Amino acid sequence: MTTTTDIALSAPVNLRDLGGIPVDGGSVREGFAIRADDLSTITAEDASALVEAGLTAVIDLRSPAEVRVTGRGPLAAHPVGYHHLPLIASVGDSTREGFTHEGMGEMYVRMVEDAAPQLVTALTVMAHTTGATAFHCAAGRDRTGVLAATLLLALGAGDDAVVTDYGRTAANMPAVMERTRPLMGAMFAALDLDPDLLRTAGLLEGSMEVSMRLMLARLRERHGDPLTPLRDAGLGAETTARLRARALAA
């Protein structure tokens, strides 16, 4: 399998602060939460810049196999808390419904239902971290998008705000796919999956927003509220209140 030294470090191409997103009672303040593509493969210079800007914790949503390939990367050299909370056991799980916007949406539903404890832990980390928390997977789109959605819902964001944030990744997808192709190609080969899936996927066509709207609708159909699986897994009023106190802009 590809090793760390085989992967060129590069600047993230799908990193953004969630500041400014409207939620109940105001908007998310800048410097609270950052969503990103793979932070384990950023340059040492970018790692230093994030820490200097206030980063104090990283939530890594990648599978154990992905983490074994690259580890924590340059951020491991900094005094930044690290929390490995995989939302899927294997990248092969993401191929179950196929690489379509609808298939991604169905996978997101499974993530919320099956990985609710990890999502609750992630929200708890953000509620108690004093500086900025960055969370990432490989592309910063799917697993990262699910955590961003549950965070925004917990803060009282409406569906349109959640979908709009998710959809902002669409413009970055060509760069995301280019940046992640070497690592994901190695992962697919190791799992004996067809590498052509990475090139023939329809993720650059149509509207990404279909996936997130499907997730929200399906969770409401099944649970009444998209956050019910998280509440059943331990997301309580105290954590939610602490999140809001930390996240809302003054």
Side-chain angles (χ1 to χ4, degrees):
M1 187 179 289
T2 302
T3 63
T4 304
T5 55
D6 297 324
I7 299 167
L9 300 180
S10 60
V13 295
N14 195 28
L15 181 151
R16 58 183 179 272
D17 194 301
L18 296 186
I21 295 176
V23 296
D24 183 31
S27 61
V28 180
R29 66 172 177 82
E30 291 195 8
F32 167 65
I34 300 166
R35 56 177 294 170
D37 47 323
D38 197 344
L39 292 180
S40 73
T41 57
I42 63 174
T43 65
E45 292 76 15
D46 285 313
S48 296
L50 284 170
V51 174
E52 290 170 7
L55 180 68
T56 59
V58 170
I59 297 172
D60 186 345
L61 304 172
R62 297 176 299 157
S63 67
E66 290 170 278
V67 174
R68 283 196 297 271
V69 173
T70 59
R72 292 178 58 190
L75 279 169
H78 296 271
V80 173
Y82 176 74
H83 309 269
H84 182 213
L85 300 170
L87 296 191
I88 56 175
S90 166
V91 292
D93 292 348
S94 62
T95 67
R96 190 180 303 177
E97 286 88 4
F99 285 105
T100 65
H101 296 306
E102 291 79 6
M104 291 293 104
E106 296 291 353
M107 181 180 70
Y108 300 167
V109 174
R110 289 206 323 272
M111 283 187 202
V112 174
E113 293 178 336
D114 297 345
Q118 294 94 305
L119 291 167
V120 172
T121 300
L123 295 182
T124 302
V125 168
M126 285 186 263
H128 290 270
T129 296
T130 55
T133 301
F135 53 96
H136 75 94
C137 51
R141 165 191 164 120
D142 303 311
R143 291 165 285 187
T144 297
V146 168
L147 177 52
T150 57
L151 169 62
L152 292 172
L153 290 169
L155 294 175
D159 284 8
D160 287 345
V162 172
V163 172
T164 296
D165 171 65
Y166 172 79
R168 288 181 62 190
T169 290
N172 300 329
M173 279 306 297
V176 166
M177 295 178 79
E178 183 65 27
R179 184 173 188 256
T180 60
R181 184 173 289 112
L183 176 58
M184 295 307 291
M187 293 293 302
F188 272 50
L191 294 168
D192 199 28
L193 296 171
D194 183 359
D196 285 340
L197 287 171
L198 293 172
R199 292 187 289 272
T200 60
L203 299 183
L204 296 179
E205 303 172 358
S207 172
M208 264 186 61
E209 295 185 355
V210 169
S211 304
M212 186 54 62
R213 290 203 183 277
L214 187 152
M215 183 197 87
L216 294 169
R218 193 78 79 236
L219 287 171
R220 284 199 174 90
E221 289 171 4
R222 295 185 183 182
H223 306 284
D225 181 333
L227 289 179
T228 294
L230 274 66
R231 294 195 178 99
D232 290 344
L235 179 63
E238 182 178 349
T239 298
T240 302
R242 190 177 181 96
L243 269 176
R244 286 181 51 78
R246 288 215 62 245
L248 263 66

